Structures are given as C-alpha cells and as structure tokens.
Amino acid sequence: MRPITLDVDPQGRRILSCTCGTIEIARANDWQEFTVEALDNDLAVVTCTNCERHARLVRLDAEPEPSPQPTW
C-alpha cells in the first residue's frame, strides 16, 4: 500500500490522502498539507507535512484524463 494516494472525485477535484490520516482537497494546486516536487516524465514526489512520508505520483498539475463516456 502506498503511504500517499491521489484520487479524483466525480467533480474532478484532486484529493491527496496519507496513511497517517491527513487528507486534503486541492484548491487550484495550492496544497497546504502536502509538498509537491515535480520530476521528469510527468511524475512528482509528494510529501505529507504531518508525518514526512512521501510517494512518487503522477504530477498533480497535469489535467486529469476524462472518464470514458458511453456511446449510445
């Protein structure tokens, strides 16, 4: 299990959560509870400011991919 995970809710908001219990919803990529260091190849190192755990995730400033829409 990753210490930090990134989820996207149905409204497209990014939500970071850490195994220590820290959870934050993005506000225009202005994170308060996590620090984000961009790497190459659309990756970033995300660190929880509460417990200092970190994980390598997809860059948070990239646009989320749209959900597949059914074709009727």
Side-chain angles (χ1 to χ4, degrees), residues 4-62:
I4 298 174
T5 58
L6 171 66
D7 295 305
V8 179
D9 71 8
Q11 289 78 33
R13 295 177 295 201
R14 293 170 179 86
I15 303 168
L16 284 174
S17 57
C18 180
T19 56
C20 76
T22 302
I23 298 173
E24 183 175 8
I25 298 173
R27 289 172 182 78
N29 289 316
D30 184 21
W31 301 96
Q32 302 294 313
E33 302 294 328
F34 295 89
T35 59
V36 179
E37 178 185 342
L39 300 174
D40 292 337
N41 301 325
D42 292 330
L43 294 175
V45 173
V46 179
T47 304
C48 175
T49 58
N50 185 46
C51 70
E52 299 298 319
R53 287 184 176 102
H54 59 272
R56 191 176 292 187
L57 301 173
V58 174
R59 289 212 8 217
L60 305 179
D61 59 354

